[in-house]
Amino acid sequence: MSRGSRAQALSATGFDRTAGTRRGLLAAMLTLLALALVVPELELPGVTWDEPEYFASVERIQSWTATLFEDPATALDSAAIQTAWDPQEVRYYNPHPPVYKQGMAATEFLFGRYLGPVAGYRLFAALMFALLVGAVTWSVAGVAGAVGGVGAGLALLLMPRVFGHAHIAATDMPLTCFWAVSTLAFAAYLRRGRTSAILLAALALGLALGTKFTGWLLPVPLLVWAILERRWWPWLVTVLLALVVAYVLVPSAWYDPVGAVSRLFEESMGREQTIPLTTVYLGRIYDYAVPWQQSIVMTLVTVPLGVLCLSLFGCADAIRDRAILRPLDGRAVLARLSLLQIGFFLGLMALPASPNHDGVRLFLPMFPFVALLSGLGLSRIHELLGARFDSRQAALGCLLLGSLFLLPAWRQNRHVRPYYLSYYNELIGGLPGAARAGMEVTYWYDAMTPDFLRRIELELPEGATVLGWPSVKYFEELQDLGLLREDLRFNNELSSSYLLLLARKATLPPPLLEVYEQVQPILAAELDGVELAGLYALTGPE
């Protein structure tokens, strides 16, 4: 094998030192671009369903941390740790391990006074998204050059559903970042053998374990990759180190680690009984499990069409080398690694016991690997042009074709702002086409934007009674956060004077569905003529 071929093989996942300065610069530029786009608009999407519980948990963690410095013995008592980190009375709403909340606590403490409390909490998700964009750029640039790296970073940046989660203080964006970084670092170690790579893989895996139950599934595709590479022992080292990281970062496990993990698995595997969230899919309401192909369909209709096309070009790298095990070409390694991760998630979501509610949120960690393939695809186009034209013509042609694929995604991303989680692509006819096809148009209260809430406050008289659907508790939490007037009285009674609902059709009982479909709202949050949230008069003004 030639020296050049060996160098290419060793750069399989973007951690090779070759052209490191350029890769670092590209990754830094895309990271800063992501921050510049997300941070100024952190408060534009409405507070989502889960966020108030996470905010309250962060406050308990911050209070416990202050006590730790003032009175360590009191703070380290098992009862005090349980109260602060894992109170049983809110586990139904907030059962997740605390790593993502630790990040939120840090960003709120450092920047909340400048950004505002909601944006302070959400800044951690924005930072994780920016880090993820940089990692994707760095990895692809190492095997496919600057064109591929920039293409991959932009592809991820221009996925509205992913971009939207960068604005939300929840588990999903941190987990997505940790999942991708651990995967890329682990694969890099198997190709290069650098200690720093396996330590990074273990750290990121430990953070994933400490963020959400889904993180405990990551060792499965890592093990498959280790078997394909015929080096299983680094997997064992990575998992053992990750367990140590998770143990250190999850105080509720300090006194009973086995019990903590057991509860997490028991609650997560029993969600069909504890939280049987319903889903609308192709015009039918499913109580929990949906048809096996739902995740495939949702991927095809929620990723911008240009990004999907580029990712298909990128798949060619996975099959052009006949070697199945330990392929020598770094591009093939990265493409196959991405396909493994995509296949893992699509297979996982097809299982009858898998929850499939909330759009693509539950398999969000899959999408960085779609972006990796997109970057490889754009690089492949550049190489094909370079084989027929001189370098300047090839660069210009790649720029034009890249713009053809990615500019529509940019326009769509800006168009749906701030309703990123309601995005559907051209294959289904955008959001209007998705609504006609019987898909869920919104699900997580992000449509209750600050602007919409201000319009509601101007409309409602003092002391108005409001049927808040689907969750009265959510609107009361908005009042506690100072986002809605305290004089408004929310309940679940049809005798109320007003109805304020989220258009999550799977939750609407027949009387409210009839109102939504047949009655003109007083005010509405709309995208492309599709109502996402609405205020209705039920018995006339008070």
Side-chain angles (χ1 to χ4, degrees):
M1 183 172 61
S2 69
R3 182 176 299 179
S5 297
R6 184 179 298 276
Q8 188 178 39
L10 292 177
S11 66
T13 54
F15 289 85
D16 183 48
R17 290 177 295 179
T18 304
T21 300
R22 176 184 293 182
R23 290 165 57 203
L25 180 60
L26 288 175
M29 290 174 59
L30 268 294
T31 298
L32 292 175
L33 177 61
L35 286 174
L37 291 174
V38 175
V39 173
E41 59 172 41
L42 277 174
E43 291 188 330
L44 288 187
V47 171
T48 57
W49 203 319
D50 298 332
E51 284 182 285
E53 283 294 338
Y54 298 161
F55 296 165
S57 184
V58 167
E59 291 178 358
R60 289 192 294 270
I61 290 171
Q62 290 174 328
S63 177
W64 178 89
T65 303
T67 303
L68 179 65
F69 284 99
E70 297 171 358
D71 187 358
T74 298
L76 295 175
D77 178 76
S78 60
I81 289 176
Q82 188 73 32
T83 300
W85 292 90
D86 194 22
Q88 295 303 305
E89 63 271 16
V90 298
R91 284 194 62 82
Y92 177 87
Y93 300 101
N94 188 9
H96 306 295
V99 164
Y100 70 103
K101 290 177 285 192
Q102 293 166 342
M104 290 162 55
T107 56
E108 195 283 328
F109 176 77
L110 294 172
F111 302 103
R113 71 193 74 178
Y114 309 110
L115 299 176
V118 172
Y121 293 125
R122 288 176 165 180
L123 181 60
F124 181 64
L127 292 172
M128 293 300 97
F129 176 65
L131 176 62
L132 177 61
V133 170
V136 165
T137 302
W138 168 271
S139 297
V140 180
V143 298
V147 170
V150 172
L154 289 178
L156 185 61
L157 192 60
L158 297 180
M159 294 181 191
R161 294 266 183 156
V162 179
F163 187 75
H165 278 283
H167 299 70
I168 296 170
T171 60
D172 307 287
M173 184 50 64
L175 176 66
T176 300
C177 178
F178 302 147
W179 188 293
V181 170
S182 182
T183 299
L184 294 169
F186 181 72
Y189 177 79
L190 293 184
R191 305 302 296 179
R192 188 71 181 271
R194 298 179 65 175
T195 304
S196 58
I198 198 171
L199 292 177
L200 178 60
L203 173 62
L205 176 57
L207 293 172
L209 299 179
T211 293
K212 196 173 186 177
F213 168 75
T214 310
W216 288 82
L217 304 179
L218 175 54
V220 176
L222 294 186
L223 178 59
V224 172
W225 190 252
I227 292 173
L228 291 175
E229 291 278 15
R230 299 178 181 177
R231 297 184 65 193
W232 64 268
W233 69 264
W235 176 86
L236 182 60
V237 172
T238 300
V239 171
L240 291 176
L241 291 175
L243 289 173
V244 174
V245 172
Y247 176 75
V248 170
L249 294 176
V250 181
S252 58
W254 290 351
Y255 289 93
D256 183 17
V258 175
V261 175
S262 176
R263 285 194 302 273
L264 179 64
F265 272 73
E266 181 179 348
E267 294 171 353
S268 300
M269 299 296 288
R271 289 173 63 90
E272 186 172 2
Q273 286 74 43
T274 58
I275 315 177
L277 296 178
T278 54
T279 300
V280 166
Y281 175 62
L282 295 178
R284 179 179 170 184
I285 296 177
Y286 294 88
D287 290 334
Y288 184 78
V290 300
W292 67 269
Q293 80 280 2
Q294 187 256 9
S295 59
I296 299 175
V297 173
M298 287 298 294
T299 299
L300 292 176
V301 300
T302 61
V303 175
L305 185 56
V307 174
L308 281 177
C309 291
L310 287 175
S311 67
L312 290 177
F313 288 138
C315 289
D317 280 307
I319 60 177
R320 64 185 177 82
D321 191 329
R322 292 184 180 180
I324 299 300
L325 302 178
R326 299 179 64 82
L328 299 179
D329 184 88
R331 299 172 61 111
V333 173
L334 192 55
R336 293 176 186 182
L337 178 68
S338 298
L339 287 176
L340 170 65
Q341 289 286 346
I342 292 169
F344 172 77
F345 271 104
L346 294 180
L348 177 67
M349 301 307 293
L351 296 176
S354 294
N356 294 80
H357 55 81
D358 290 2
V360 302
R361 182 172 72 86
L362 300 186
F363 55 104
L364 198 71
M366 182 189 79
F367 292 95
F369 300 96
V370 177
L372 288 166
L373 289 175
S374 297
L376 293 176
L378 186 60
S379 175
R380 178 62 57 201
I381 291 174
H382 183 234
E383 290 185 359
L384 292 174
L385 291 172
R388 300 192 60 181
F389 305 100
D390 63 41
S391 59
R392 181 176 298 179
Q393 291 173 327
L396 179 60
C398 184
L399 178 62
L400 292 175
L401 288 175
S403 299
L404 179 65
F405 286 114
L406 295 179
L407 274 181
W410 172 265
R411 289 196 298 268
Q412 292 166 2
N413 205 23
R414 293 293 89 188
H415 173 71
V416 301
R417 171 180 179 265
Y419 307 116
Y420 301 108
L421 305 189
S422 296
Y423 169 79
Y424 287 91
N425 68 18
E426 302 92 327
L427 291 179
I428 200 171
L431 182 60
R436 291 190 297 269
M439 306 294 274
E440 199 75 270
V441 297
T442 188
Y443 64 86
W444 217 17
Y445 274 125
D446 53 290
M448 295 285 178
T449 63
D451 177 68
F452 183 54
L453 295 179
R454 283 192 292 269
R455 291 163 57 202
I456 289 171
E457 288 185 319
L458 292 174
E459 181 67 32
L460 293 179
E462 184 176 355
T465 57
V466 185
L467 194 171
W469 193 267
S471 170
V472 173
K473 182 175 184 290
Y474 168 79
F475 294 104
E476 294 173 343
E477 288 170 332
L478 291 186
Q479 291 177 314
D480 293 339
L481 291 169
L483 299 178
L484 266 178
R485 287 183 0 225
E486 293 185 359
D487 64 275
L488 301 177
R489 292 174 290 166
F490 288 94
N491 57 56
N492 55 9
E493 302 294 332
L494 281 172
S495 59
S496 302
S497 297
Y498 296 90
L499 165 65
L500 178 55
L501 64 77
L502 178 74
R504 182 171 178 160
K505 292 184 181 181
T507 70
L508 295 176
L512 299 189
L513 182 61
E514 182 178 352
V515 171
Y516 173 71
E517 293 181 340
Q518 300 182 17
V519 178
Q520 183 70 24
I522 303 171
L523 298 171
E526 293 183 340
L527 176 62
D528 293 332
V530 177
E531 180 186 337
L532 305 178
L535 176 68
Y536 298 82
L538 291 180
T539 61
E542 296 188 348

